[in-house]
Every structure is written in C-alpha cells, then in structure tokens.
Amino acid sequence: MSEYSRVVPPPGEVNDTARLLLELADDPQDVRTVAGGKEFVVPAAVADAYHDKVAPAPRRTTTNKKGGGA
C-alpha cells in the first residue's frame, strides 16, 4: 500500500486543484475528497507533483556590490 498525503487547496481554488490533481494522477480513483470536499487525499507522488507544479518560483535578490546598504 502506498503512502497518501493530504492536499489543502488555497481558498476559492478547490475546482482548479481538483482538475490538476486528476490530471497528475494515474487513476482518477486515487484522488479522494475529505473534509466535506474541501481537501484531497492523494498518493504521495501525486501530492509532490502538485506542489512542484504550483510552487512559486524562487525570488531573485540582488546585492549591492558597493556595500552601501540601506
């Protein structure tokens, strides 16, 4: 039996999250709803793929080469 993870979508994005999870899952039956349909339980690999897809890009920062600072 594989491990399952809980996915909690951002407020107002339950439908979009469901579509994405179903797209990422090998079998639609792997995507189960919990908490009255507001959260999902999916295989860990699907949860990882979901988080990789929706994670924001890392922020780029710049440094002051002259060392002035604020």
Side-chain angles (χ1 to χ4, degrees):
M1 182 176 202
S2 64
E3 288 186 42
Y4 282 81
S5 296
R6 187 175 290 242
V7 174
V8 180
E13 295 187 23
V14 173
N15 291 338
D16 292 336
T17 300
R19 285 186 197 99
L20 181 55
L21 290 171
L22 289 167
E23 178 183 313
L24 295 170
D26 292 332
D27 184 352
Q29 292 183 353
D30 286 341
V31 180
R32 298 181 300 193
T33 58
V34 293
K38 295 179 183 174
E39 298 176 6
F40 302 92
V41 175
V42 296
V46 174
D48 290 343
Y50 167 78
H51 290 297
D52 289 345
K53 194 155 187 130
V54 299
R59 284 184 70 178
R60 292 185 60 176
T61 58
T62 59
T63 58
N64 186 345
K65 292 183 180 183
K66 294 182 180 182

